[in-house]
Amino acid sequence: MKKTWLLGFGFFSISIGWSLYNGFVPFFLDHYLTSTALIGFLMTIDNYIALFLQPYIGNRSDRTNTRFGRRMPYLLIGMPIAALFFTLIPFHTSLATLIILMVCMNLSMAIFRSPTIALMPDITPDTKRTKANGVINFMGGCGAILAFTLGSYLYSVEESLPFLVVSAVFLVALFVIFTNIKENRDAIPYSMTTSPKIDYKRELNSTTVFLLAAIFFWFIAIQGMEALFTLYGVNELGLSKSASAFSLAFFSLSFVLSSIPCGLLGAKFGKKKMILIGIIGLAFSFILLNWVESVFYLRAILLAGGMFWACININAYPFIVSTGSEQSFGTRTGLYYFASSLAAIISPPALGLLIDLFGFGILFYAAAVSMLLALACMLKVNNKETLSISPHKLNE
């Protein structure tokens, strides 16, 4: 668990970086653009890059073999470059330079994001991965909270200050991980694969396909809900902008506080059971939100919803890596981000279109339907296929 907490610094740095990027870069774009839709599109660059690059980087890290290990070279290259571009973003001189810096920052983040996450199953036995994922998500949540609290204060002092601090966090996190985690010493022994391409026939077994579909559908619900909730609160419930945003914080805070307990429960009762409980509970929460008339009940349901979301999200990543061999952790990490990134691209405009057609009242009904589709996919997951495949069997 000590190694997990240390590795959590990597997830902490990724989370604080993305949160600060998503929170403050739109202000820079707003200086040049009047179209909110165009600003929104430019802010999804990371999802498009993740869609195509994350599976490739993840698979390539599976096939990397250096004296530093499989994943560490990507951290050693990607994190300093990301720190550099985070430093440069607030010093842009035009829209063109800002977009170039944004693209370069996103590309550099893509270099080490999948390998950093894949380090967790590399150094953690299967029985402890849900606990470990709870820990790194807890640290990621703390990073997001710091980005919006301390980051907001620093931004009010000087616009470049939070970006400089995050750049320093990247370098400190890299130092902590590199000096404390030695892959050749700490990683669970594995058989090296030399296959130049992803063996989709082997990797995309029926369990993996249904699990990826479930991931896609529950992220459709979550991404759409988070992107459009503040507008829903203002237009449907009559809340002020600040009250609407503060209400959504109950969902996020509950998720952070539930991360470690949900990891422990997943290790004890099984990952699939916890995911199913989370899906059913979150679908029910979305349905209840349609009849809420008071802020108290709204926030109470969001508080419960955050716990159910933790049941899903904390157990999902360890579950998908358990559907393959130890040789494919990076590949499966990339596939996980492929499904979630595709949902992040599709969900806000798709649910936004439904709102244009039927009004804001459709938001949580649509989210509930998407969760029920995720439930249908999860019920198709065959537990017997989630056992790690023996490397000897793979070589037959």
Side-chain angles (χ1 to χ4, degrees):
M1 291 305 293
K2 177 184 176 183
K3 298 293 182 185
T4 302
W5 282 100
L6 291 169
L7 179 58
F9 279 101
F11 202 71
F12 174 86
S13 67
I14 292 172
S15 182
I16 196 171
W18 282 126
S19 297
L20 185 137
Y21 177 86
N22 290 328
F24 299 113
V25 170
F27 294 137
F28 296 146
L29 292 169
D30 192 50
H31 291 159
Y32 304 102
L33 301 170
T34 57
S35 170
T36 304
L38 185 54
I39 292 173
F41 170 76
L42 290 173
M43 290 303 296
T44 62
I45 290 174
D46 61 306
N47 291 310
Y48 287 96
I49 290 175
L51 194 65
F52 298 104
L53 199 56
Q54 295 287 7
Y56 170 76
I57 293 291
N59 175 253
R60 189 167 183 83
S61 72
D62 285 335
R63 298 182 286 109
T64 298
N65 186 18
T66 72
R67 66 189 182 95
F68 297 112
R70 290 194 289 181
R71 321 296 182 189
M72 198 63 69
Y74 297 90
L75 277 71
L76 292 171
I77 294 170
M79 294 185 84
I81 299 175
L84 172 64
F85 285 113
F86 256 101
T87 299
L88 293 176
I89 281 176
F91 298 103
H92 63 275
T93 56
S94 65
L95 177 60
T97 58
L98 175 58
I99 292 174
I100 290 170
L101 291 171
M102 289 169 62
V103 170
C104 291
M105 189 281 298
N106 278 280
L107 287 171
S108 61
M109 291 286 284
I111 293 173
F112 70 92
R113 188 176 183 183
S114 286
T116 301
I117 305 305
L119 257 178
M120 186 276 283
D122 279 350
I123 66 174
T124 309
D126 181 53
T127 55
K128 296 182 179 180
R129 284 177 193 151
T130 54
K131 300 178 187 177
N133 202 41
V135 169
I136 65 174
N137 273 275
F138 173 80
M139 293 195 69
C142 290
I145 292 170
L146 278 175
F148 291 122
T149 53
L150 180 60
S152 296
Y153 170 74
L154 293 175
Y155 187 84
S156 66
V157 175
E158 169 58 49
E159 289 185 357
S160 63
L161 201 52
F163 291 86
L164 297 174
V165 170
V166 166
S167 297
V169 168
F170 276 134
L171 298 178
V172 171
L174 177 61
F175 176 78
V176 169
I177 296 170
F178 182 71
T179 56
N180 289 280
I181 297 177
K182 306 297 181 183
E183 286 190 67
N184 294 330
R185 177 194 67 194
D186 300 323
I188 298 169
Y190 63 93
S191 299
M192 187 66 194
T193 178
T194 57
S195 175
K197 295 181 180 180
I198 301 173
D199 186 347
Y200 286 103
K201 184 177 180 181
R202 185 182 72 199
E203 298 298 342
L204 295 177
N205 53 58
S206 61
T207 285
T208 304
V209 171
F210 282 117
L211 186 51
L212 286 171
I215 291 167
F216 171 78
F217 283 121
W218 69 54
F219 271 111
I220 284 283
I222 293 297
Q223 295 282 358
M225 185 275 288
E226 290 185 339
L228 301 169
F229 178 83
T230 52
L231 291 175
Y232 176 90
V234 171
N235 292 278
E236 188 72 11
L237 302 178
L239 301 177
S240 66
K241 293 179 181 178
S242 59
S244 186
F246 184 68
S247 297
L248 188 58
F250 281 77
F251 185 87
S252 301
L253 181 62
S254 176
F255 170 79
V256 171
L257 296 178
S258 303
S259 294
I260 295 177
C262 285
L264 295 172
L265 290 171
K268 183 174 181 179
F269 298 108
K271 295 181 278 290
K272 182 179 177 181
K273 284 184 180 179
M274 293 304 298
I275 291 172
L276 289 173
I277 290 170
I279 291 174
I280 294 169
L282 199 50
F284 187 63
S285 298
F286 286 151
I287 291 171
L288 286 179
L289 284 171
N290 288 286
W291 293 301
V292 164
E293 294 183 357
S294 74
V295 175
F296 174 81
Y297 288 115
L298 171 70
R299 293 172 179 174
I301 295 171
L302 288 172
L303 200 66
M307 291 187 283
F308 288 125
W309 175 230
C311 290
I312 300 170
N313 201 31
I314 298 305
N315 290 281
Y317 175 67
F319 196 45
I320 196 167
V321 297
S322 74
T323 63
S325 72
E326 69 274 8
Q327 297 162 306
S328 65
F329 290 159
T331 300
R332 290 177 172 276
T333 302
L335 290 173
Y336 176 86
Y337 281 115
F338 175 86
S340 60
S341 298
L342 185 62
I345 291 169
I346 293 174
S347 180
L351 293 186
L353 178 61
L354 288 176
I355 289 172
D356 288 341
L357 294 173
F358 303 105
F360 276 95
I362 196 67
L363 175 62
F364 288 111
Y365 285 114
V369 169
S370 191
M371 293 305 299
L372 292 176
L373 290 172
L375 176 63
C377 293
M378 278 303 301
L379 292 174
K380 290 285 189 177
V381 170
N382 184 352
N383 277 342
K384 293 180 181 178
E385 292 185 45
T386 65
L387 299 175
S388 292
I389 304 169
S390 167
H392 300 295
K393 187 172 182 62
L394 290 174
N395 293 329
E396 291 179 9

